[in-house]
Amino acid sequence: QVHLVESGGGLMQAGGSLRLSCVASGSRSSPDEMGWYRQAPGKSRELVAKVTRAGIATYADSLKGRFTVSRDNAKNTADLQTNSLKPEDTAVYYCYAFLFGRSTWGQGTQVTVSS
């Protein structure tokens, strides 16, 4: 069973940057897909970005150009570089992995952007 651990969240002023990291463990196989979702207070969880094992990335349209997802298959990591942060980016960011037909979620890391 895949286990995910996120790191890198925190408090940042608007305009700043944060790098979130996710490490997957517990499986000999590299996940078919890894990525990041986020959930703001009172809102549904939404896709931020995801990347396949082949390196094909998908982004939420509203975040293209500010956020970049990257992946290291050898280390089973997926990072999210967030730039030009806005107060509306405040949310809990969850790492996710898809392998053998199952989705696994991390515990989430809080990102708070102050104006």
Side-chain angles (χ1 to χ4, degrees), residues 25-99:
S25 62
S27 174
R28 295 181 180 178
S29 299
S30 182
D32 300 320
E33 192 171 78
M34 293 184 70
W36 292 87
Y37 281 69
R38 69 183 184 184
Q39 188 166 17
K43 295 188 177 182
S44 301
R45 191 172 297 189
E46 62 176 2
L47 171 70
V48 175
K50 58 184 179 179
V51 56
T52 68
R53 192 165 50 223
I56 299 172
T58 302
Y59 293 89
D61 287 342
S62 62
L63 301 177
K64 287 180 180 178
R66 291 197 300 123
F67 288 14
T68 303
V69 65
S70 59
R71 180 168 173 175
D72 186 327
N73 291 331
K75 297 180 180 179
N76 275 342
T77 61
D79 291 352
L80 183 70
Q81 178 67 41
T82 67
N83 298 323
S84 303
L85 284 165
K86 305 175 181 179
E88 51 263 42
D89 294 320
T90 295
V92 178
Y93 284 69
Y94 295 92
C95 178
Y96 110 103
F98 185 78
L99 179 64

Side-chain angles (χ1 to χ4, degrees), residues 8-11 18 20 39 41 89-93 108-113:
L11 175 64
L18 282 174
L20 309 183
Q39 188 166 17
D89 294 320
T90 295
V92 178
Y93 284 69
T109 184
Q110 177 70 47
V111 171
T112 302
V113 183

